[in-house]
Amino acid sequence: MAQGEIVAGCLAPHPPHLVYAENPEQNEPVAEGGWEQLRWGYERLRESLKGVEYDAIVILSPHWQTYVGTHFLGLENFQSLSVDPVFPNLFRYHYDMNVDVELAKQIHDKAESAGLAVRMMTNPDFRVDYGTITTGHMFRPQWDKPLVVISSNRSRAYYSVEVMQEMMIELGRVTREAILESGKKVVVLASNSLSHRHFTTESEIPEDMSKEHITSHAMHLWDMRIIDYMKSGQCQRIIDEMPEFTEQAIAETDGGAFTWLLSTLEVPKYPAILHGYGTIIGTGNAIVEWPVYRHKAV
Amino acid sequence: MAGGEIIESFIVPVHPHTVLAPQQNQGWQNLRKAYDDAAQIIKDKEADLLIIYSTTWPSIIGHQIISDPNPEWVMVDHDFHDLGSIHYSFNIDAEFAKQWNKENHARGLQSRCVNYHGFPIDVGSVVALTLLNPDNKIPAVIVSSNVYADRSETTVLAKACKDLVHKTGRKAVAITAMSLSNRMFTEHIDAKDDRIHSLKDDEWNRKILEFLGQGRLEDVSQLSRTIQQQIRVQKVVNFKPMWWLSAINDNRNDLTGNVLSYEAINGAGCAVVNLNPTSSGFGDKEYDEDEVEVFAGERGVLDAATKNTETSKTNSGPKLWEPTEAKGSVNTESAPKPVGAYPHARRVGDLIYLSGVGPRQPDTNTIPGGPIQDAEGNKLDYDIKAQTRAVVENIARILEEAGSSIDKVLDVTSFLVDMDRDFQGYNEVWAETLGKVGPTRTTLAIRALPTPIAVEMKVIAGI
Ligand SMILES: [Fe+2]
């Protein structure tokens, strides 16, 4: 069997507003558009990966929050209605997604051997979190590739960003190992925003773009700093500054997805492609691609 | 109907073990037994409303209240999915939910009702309602816990609810779905090995339960921030449920408390506690935090220049006067006090002339829908519909005092401080209220009114 590979890694945030604004047939509410900058960003990302072949998508979303270890979806198919508990007015999405259980189990097993607390999720009534679904939809609306869905272990809440990073770097390492051993070509996605302070009010028309902006200048500065690091191939600095970033920008990186992603990519030193940046209800969101396929080690 | 009250309160645990797997561990079984006893108390007291404040339903846009009369789905816990699924079909008091939402707005809170098929009711609410209301006979309401809310917002949320319970004559039970110490084991453990995560957590839990057992709910409420620091994993910014529960119980410290059970679930401190309003004769409050009646924002923690400062809370305008007396003048306690030397109304022959009526509330001088600006003149967001409705209600009260009524209104002159922003909302409320009576009307845009309100009406009515 040929060696597997990670063909690309992406920062692919999941505010449900993006699906809402797109009006796909799966989502019940209807919008008059909105958040185009980010939706065009997703378009560019999809376009960029058009010629790249892969077998599966591995995703870590902060909205499947687990406090007892890291969990993996462990059944072949999940179908249901996902209603966002925070923005139910925007997101009521009928999903039908396939899971690459084999790959999930391989990552699970590797993580277990590495001493991480892990569990397969095999309850058929389980509803997949809206973060996974939003990112899944925006990244590949055809839903024709199987996913591996990894929960967000809330180690940050129990310990510190430092401990969270240790665990996520380890989880990223074993994720990479399992993918290489699987013989599959895979895209890895971290589903999170950057700065993450929301407005606590919503305008009458949620997609009223005259109301949309970053919550504060400090948040903007942090987001731009992190984006600069990504664009200039200085991902180690992101890891180094993650504690301050997470704390001061109340960043959604607390869920571990971003650290995990960088670890699966061996903390890239080459420039990432920024496909878009925009705010959603005050939070900062970047759509970023690490085109591993262009930087294959010889 | 009036005179409703909170007849019992309960603190109950959130994890699904008590529903799905009590037999696996003696402690879980004890909690289940306590849950069943609590359900019996509620039944015996003939409660007609269950109000749940759930810490496992976080919200961002203010607070959310379930208003689907019959939410049905299957709940699977994010962590403990291997224990199984809980099918639910609840009986929700949608009318109460909608009214509570209105009361919240009148007190300056962001709030909204949630009524969508398939909405995922959170694990804490599902467990609590499944066990406390097994035959679904008693209608319930569920409110979320706002992630950014602090004490005053949480307190005002409870007061808005409490007022409504009083007004609607309900025999209500207040329930907080919550853990005490919430640190769980971060690795999978055998059911038989369950215990409180650490001795420190256990000691704090016992201290809290000692207070609650003595009915000292307000003391626990005022220790909330300390409790958060000591034994709470920082999932959210504060330990809020005790603020809510104490405020809905009039911030009392002399309730009759009874700890029905205290056990661990996967390391977290879980208790079923009953608090009854009968006075235990216990001591006074140890601490003394401010009473807060109306919420005007306190979330500007990131930006010192934020408009939502404390000062805006008290901005209800210039000093108030006692209404003047003269021949034919009509004055009433049930209308807001004048801001100058004039009466509420004056009668001449078969006609009654009202002084300009705004939305301020007679007893508290607060402004439903919120003031238009704070004390420093910074603009605030306000609800013109709530203000207009309050104006019409004030007019009705003054007219009734004068022996007339709202359906005898003949002519109205309305003043709006922001015609562009507010005309539509004002006009909608008009159509629902005075529009049905049919007086002549003139609407004017003006620069300002003496208090921070957006609408005022000048009325002439028949007797
Ligand atoms: Fe999120």
Side-chain angles (χ1 to χ4, degrees):
Chain A
M1 189 170 58
Q3 171 144 318
E5 61 180 300
I6 294 175
V7 295
C10 308
L11 188 57
H14 60 255
H17 304 65
L18 297 177
V19 168
Y20 165 69
E22 201 113 318
N23 288 315
E25 60 178 16
Q26 296 101 320
N27 199 31
E28 290 176 5
V30 176
E32 299 178 288
W35 302 280
E36 280 74 11
Q37 297 293 342
L38 279 161
R39 293 195 288 121
W40 294 334
Y42 263 113
E43 257 173 51
R44 286 189 286 269
L45 171 62
R46 293 193 294 263
E47 187 61 30
S48 175
L49 289 171
K50 214 171 177 182
V52 179
E53 276 181 29
Y54 55 92
D55 308 303
I57 299 165
V58 179
I59 178 170
L60 200 158
S61 155
H63 290 284
W64 179 9
Q65 305 193 348
T66 53
Y67 293 85
V68 190
T70 297
H71 301 221
F72 300 79
L73 288 189
L75 293 172
E76 297 283 337
N77 179 269
F78 288 88
Q79 281 182 48
S80 189
L81 170 65
S82 171
V83 180
D84 181 346
V86 175
F87 297 103
N89 51 328
L90 309 182
F91 191 84
R92 305 191 297 279
Y93 187 99
H94 298 265
Y95 63 91
D96 178 350
M97 59 178 265
N98 293 321
V99 172
D100 187 335
V101 178
E102 188 186 44
L103 182 56
K105 187 77 173 58
Q106 285 165 332
I107 302 172
H108 166 279
D109 292 351
K110 280 244 175 248
E112 190 166 44
S113 324
L116 295 170
V118 285
R119 180 158 281 186
M120 296 298 284
M121 203 308 297
T122 55
N123 186 327
D125 297 327
F126 187 82
R127 275 205 275 185
V128 179
D129 70 281
Y130 70 90
T132 296
I133 291 164
T134 297
T135 291
H137 177 92
M138 295 308 293
F139 180 76
R140 197 167 174 93
Q142 309 89 309
W143 290 101
D144 58 352
K145 302 275 186 196
L147 284 93
V148 172
V149 177
I150 308 178
S151 80
S152 167
N153 181 331
R154 308 312 277 187
S155 41
R156 146 76 167 128
Y158 279 94
Y159 307 104
S160 62
V161 178
E162 286 83 349
V163 173
M164 175 278 280
Q165 291 220 108
E166 266 176 46
M167 292 170 74
M168 288 301 114
I169 285 170
E170 188 63 5
L171 184 65
R173 189 184 64 76
V174 299
T175 302
R176 178 181 184 81
E177 258 180 47
I179 291 169
L180 297 188
E181 282 175 27
S182 73
K184 288 174 181 162
K185 292 186 159 126
V186 169
V187 175
V188 285
L189 303 180
S191 168
N192 60 267
S193 304
L194 296 176
S195 68
H196 202 233
R197 173 76 193 198
H198 303 81
F199 302 145
T200 51
T201 56
E202 189 174 65
S203 40
E204 204 134 333
I205 303 161
E207 60 270 36
D208 179 351
M209 287 298 106
S210 70
K211 301 283 181 346
E212 188 61 76
H213 59 84
I214 191 82
T215 302
S216 75
H217 182 53
M219 301 279 157
H220 179 76
L221 292 179
W222 258 119
D223 285 354
M224 293 310 115
R225 184 180 177 93
I226 298 296
I227 285 173
D228 273 349
Y229 288 155
M230 294 192 260
K231 284 170 67 185
S232 56
Q234 301 185 75
C235 289
Q236 185 58 48
R237 287 203 170 178
I238 299 176
I239 301 232
D240 296 344
E241 293 182 19
M242 193 70 84
E244 287 77 15
F245 173 53
T246 302
E247 179 101 26
Q248 292 171 22
I250 317 176
E252 210 183 15
T253 48
D254 67 337
F258 195 19
T259 304
W260 164 82
L261 173 76
L262 294 176
S263 171
T264 65
L265 302 173
E266 298 183 301
V267 193
K269 294 196 175 66
Y270 51 86
I273 306 167
L274 176 68
H275 288 296
Y277 175 83
T279 67
I280 295 183
I281 191 161
T283 66
N285 297 272
I287 296 162
V288 181
E289 174 194 349
W290 281 268
V292 188
Y293 54 92
R294 292 191 204 160
H295 297 270
K296 275 189 195 170
V298 185
Chain B
M1 191 163 55
E5 58 182 334
I6 304 294
I7 57 167
E8 295 287 345
S9 295
F10 289 94
I11 292 166
V12 294
V14 295
H15 300 300
H17 305 59
T18 50
V19 177
L20 293 170
Q23 70 288 350
Q24 289 186 21
N25 172 287
Q26 186 57 50
W28 305 348
Q29 206 158 327
N30 295 345
L31 285 169
R32 171 57 180 268
K33 164 88 173 45
Y35 245 128
D36 295 343
D37 291 346
Q40 192 59 48
I41 293 171
I42 291 169
K43 198 171 174 190
D44 292 346
K45 289 284 174 73
E46 295 178 343
D48 61 16
L49 180 67
L50 305 180
I51 307 163
I52 297 185
Y53 174 92
S54 180
T55 57
T56 53
W57 179 18
S59 59
I60 287 171
I61 309 294
H63 287 89
Q64 301 193 127
I65 307 170
I66 301 285
S67 64
D68 177 351
N70 180 215
E72 291 184 294
W73 209 267
V74 184
M75 199 287 302
V76 178
D77 190 75
H78 276 188
D79 262 299
F80 304 108
H81 39 76
D82 53 326
L83 294 180
S85 317
I86 305 177
H87 293 254
Y88 62 82
S89 172
F90 294 136
N91 170 12
I92 296 292
D93 191 328
E95 209 33 59
F96 190 92
K98 286 180 211 157
Q99 287 181 45
W100 184 5
N101 184 47
K102 273 192 203 161
E103 297 280 339
N104 287 342
H105 282 273
R107 282 178 180 258
L109 294 170
Q110 273 288 325
S111 164
R112 65 184 179 195
C113 284
V114 167
N115 177 5
Y116 300 109
H117 173 67
F119 183 87
I121 309 269
D122 62 284
V123 57
S125 300
V126 168
V127 169
L129 272 185
T130 301
L131 295 179
L132 293 178
N133 196 22
D135 48 16
N136 242 334
K137 284 218 177 96
I138 310 168
V141 284
I142 303 170
V143 70
S144 69
S145 166
N146 182 286
V147 295
Y148 298 116
D150 211 326
R151 177 174 173 273
S152 67
E153 190 168 358
T154 311
T155 297
V156 172
L157 175 76
K159 288 186 177 180
C161 184
K162 184 183 68 180
D163 284 353
L164 189 58
V165 168
H166 287 312
K167 255 193 251 177
T168 53
R170 304 300 287 265
K171 291 170 75 177
V173 177
I175 298 153
T176 49
M178 57 181 268
S179 301
L180 299 174
S181 65
N182 67 344
R183 178 176 284 272
M184 293 195 285
F185 292 106
T186 53
E187 295 182 352
H188 302 280
I189 57 160
D190 267 355
K192 64 176 171 34
D193 298 331
D194 205 354
R195 60 177 174 81
I196 300 293
H197 186 277
S198 72
L199 181 60
K200 180 203 67 160
D201 284 3
D202 190 38
E203 287 169 352
W204 266 99
N205 290 339
R206 287 178 191 281
K207 189 44 131 178
I208 294 166
L209 291 171
E210 185 191 326
F211 277 33
L212 291 173
Q214 294 165 340
R216 295 163 63 190
L217 179 56
E218 177 59 14
D219 276 347
V220 177
S221 157
Q222 299 204 5
L223 281 169
S224 168
R225 291 187 178 88
T226 310
I227 293 169
Q228 173 78 359
Q229 284 159 11
Q230 292 292 334
I231 54 166
R232 300 283 298 179
V233 170
Q234 313 280 305
K235 296 180 196 175
V236 294
V237 296
N238 263 314
F239 181 56
K240 309 166 200 201
M242 292 296 93
W243 285 331
W244 184 84
L245 197 64
S246 185
I248 209 166
N249 277 289
D250 297 318
N251 301 94
R252 281 176 53 194
N253 230 3
D254 64 341
L255 303 166
T256 298
N258 187 12
V259 178
L260 302 179
S261 179
Y262 163 56
E263 301 286 351
I265 294 184
N266 213 78
C270 297
V272 178
V273 181
N274 178 208
L275 292 154
N276 173 282
T278 309
S279 174
S280 63
F282 218 91
D284 288 335
K285 297 174 196 177
E286 286 187 3
Y287 302 89
D288 186 20
E289 287 196 65
D290 286 349
E291 278 284 350
V292 50
E293 296 294 338
V294 177
F295 182 69
E298 61 183 5
R299 288 156 167 172
V301 288
L302 295 173
D303 186 358
T306 182
K307 313 276 184 282
N308 286 339
T309 55
E310 288 284 326
T311 53
S312 62
K313 283 180 197 167
T314 52
N315 184 25
S316 46
K319 97 175 175 48
L320 304 180
W321 295 59
E322 288 306 318
T324 56
E325 298 288 346
K327 183 167 178 282
S329 63
V330 178
N331 291 313
T332 167
E333 287 291 298
S334 58
K337 292 209 165 144
V339 293
Y342 57 83
H344 283 126
R346 194 144 180 189
R347 254 173 91 158
V348 185
D350 291 342
L351 294 177
I352 176 158
Y353 294 79
L354 267 56
S355 295
V357 180
R360 284 178 300 122
Q361 292 299 283
D363 38 0
T364 58
N365 203 39
T366 53
I367 300 165
I372 65 169
Q373 60 187 35
D374 66 20
E376 268 104 48
N378 298 308
K379 297 253 176 292
L380 299 172
D381 197 17
Y382 60 90
D383 181 352
I384 185 62
K385 288 195 197 171
Q387 284 206 11
T388 309
R389 237 174 254 122
V391 172
V392 175
E393 282 162 16
N394 281 340
I395 291 170
R397 279 197 285 260
I398 297 168
L399 288 173
E400 265 155 43
E401 188 76 17
S404 175
S405 69
I406 192 83
D407 41 65
K408 298 207 172 111
V409 173
L410 301 170
D411 178 60
V412 178
T413 309
S414 301
F415 304 90
L416 299 179
V417 297
D418 189 342
M419 187 72 80
D420 292 343
R421 178 190 187 279
D422 294 339
F423 181 76
Q424 195 186 342
Y426 147 80
N427 216 25
E428 276 174 36
V429 176
W430 174 278
E432 293 160 13
T433 54
L434 283 163
K436 295 196 172 139
V437 175
T440 51
R441 184 185 90 174
T442 310
T443 305
L444 305 171
I446 53 162
R447 194 182 63 79
L449 288 160
T451 57
I453 58 175
V455 54
E456 179 165 312
M457 293 184 197
K458 174 92 185 78
V459 173
I460 302 170
I463 297 290

